[in-house]
Amino acid sequence: MAIHKLKNGKYLLYTVDQYGNKVRIRFYTRKDAEAVEVKFKNEKIEAQRIKHGIKPKIYLIEKQLDEYLLSKKMLRPKSYKKYAGVVSQIKIFCHVNSVLYIDQFTNDLGTNYYNFLLNNANSQMNEEEKDKRLSVCTINFYVQTLKSFFNEEVNKNHLTRSPVLHLRPVRKNKIQPDFFTADELKKFFSVSIPYPYDCFFKTLLYTGLRFGEAANLTWDDIDLETGFLEVKNKSTHALKTESSNRILPICEELSTVLYQLKKNAISEYLFVNKLNKTINERTTLEICKKTAKECGIKSRAYPHKFRSTFATMLTIKKVPVEHIQRLLGHSSVVTTQKHYANDKETNLHSEVELLNDLLKESDVLKVS
């Protein structure tokens, strides 16, 4: 097979079909010529399978990837979206490498895919592009997904052996927790932040809530009189784990923020945009980054960093780790929403009150 560019700018494909006949076809673009070349190549492979008595049943890799993705449909929307993104990238990789059937994905292609991910992680990027670079966790998720897909194909007897058994997770270097320092927090809240995002960031800081947990809070979840807020599964948001269902004490400074927020309430949700819809994660990230840049914070800024700061500050103040785990709703705490409303939460009030002085000196708790 060969593709030649002609003087008139067109491309001529020389090839031989499955019957041994010579074929010449002209194309306007090389991409079209390459697509037909792959088609003839796959037809010849299929013909050889039949000629040598190999079982003619073959499995299109794109179709099998779609079936694999379908098996993830019961996951949380955010998790399913992650798998959908990886499957989409695997499809692109297979297309570029002319892989039509699952048994055409070789060990070498598995290695190439792995190296592609590593090169993406180690590529030189400017400051604005760094967020697009693949992290070690992301690379390992891509690898794990690819291995899981081929393991399923082996279990279905579509393959005799997975072509990616040799791939290993990338070792992750142990890093220090990423959190805002007290000085950075004072800088961050000293500048003007659009309403209600200023209240939202303070809520993350004083509760350690995940983005989705905080963004989906309603006023029915808040009891300012007793000083508690409830985190629970909703039709609009599924919690990460069963232990994420929890009741959290509200510290004095957060109470001040919430009282002022309630005065301006226009929705059942605490945090809504100008269209009266719950705030968007992408928009919140952009505002967080813009605010940090405006006040001169050099480290990375993103909403989840407030959760890390909440845990780190309590750790610095010598709060027992099991108390912090309960407040964060980590899976190591085996409790349910039914048994959570008891004196355990009352005892934790003193723990979160330790955060009251984080921003006091700068008088930055005022809601604009």
Side-chain angles (χ1 to χ4, degrees), residues 297-330:
I297 294 177
K298 302 298 182 183
S299 63
R300 286 184 63 212
Y302 49 95
H304 197 76
K305 194 170 181 177
F306 289 103
R307 177 173 165 86
S308 302
T309 303
F310 171 84
T312 302
M313 292 302 177
L314 289 178
T315 301
I316 291 173
K317 293 178 181 294
K318 308 299 182 183
V319 174
V321 65
E322 61 270 16
H323 291 186
I324 299 174
Q325 288 171 341
R326 291 218 304 273
L327 291 166
L328 293 176
H330 284 161

Side-chain angles (χ1 to χ4, degrees), residues 11 17 26 32 49 66 77 96-97 103 153 185 192 195 219-220 228 234 256 258 273 284 302 320 360:
Y11 293 87
D17 65 17
R26 285 183 172 84
D32 290 340
R49 290 171 179 269
D66 287 339
V96 170
N97 289 278
D103 56 355
E153 292 304 298
L185 287 173
S192 177
Y195 181 86
W219 288 109
D220 287 340
F228 289 104
K234 300 178 180 178
T256 301
L258 295 181
N273 57 26
T284 306
Y302 49 95
K360 268 185 175 178

Side-chain angles (χ1 to χ4, degrees), residues 55-66:
K55 185 171 64 173
K57 180 65 176 177
I58 55 178
Y59 301 92
L60 294 168
I61 194 164
E62 186 165 327
K63 181 181 178 182
Q64 297 309 123
L65 282 167
D66 287 339

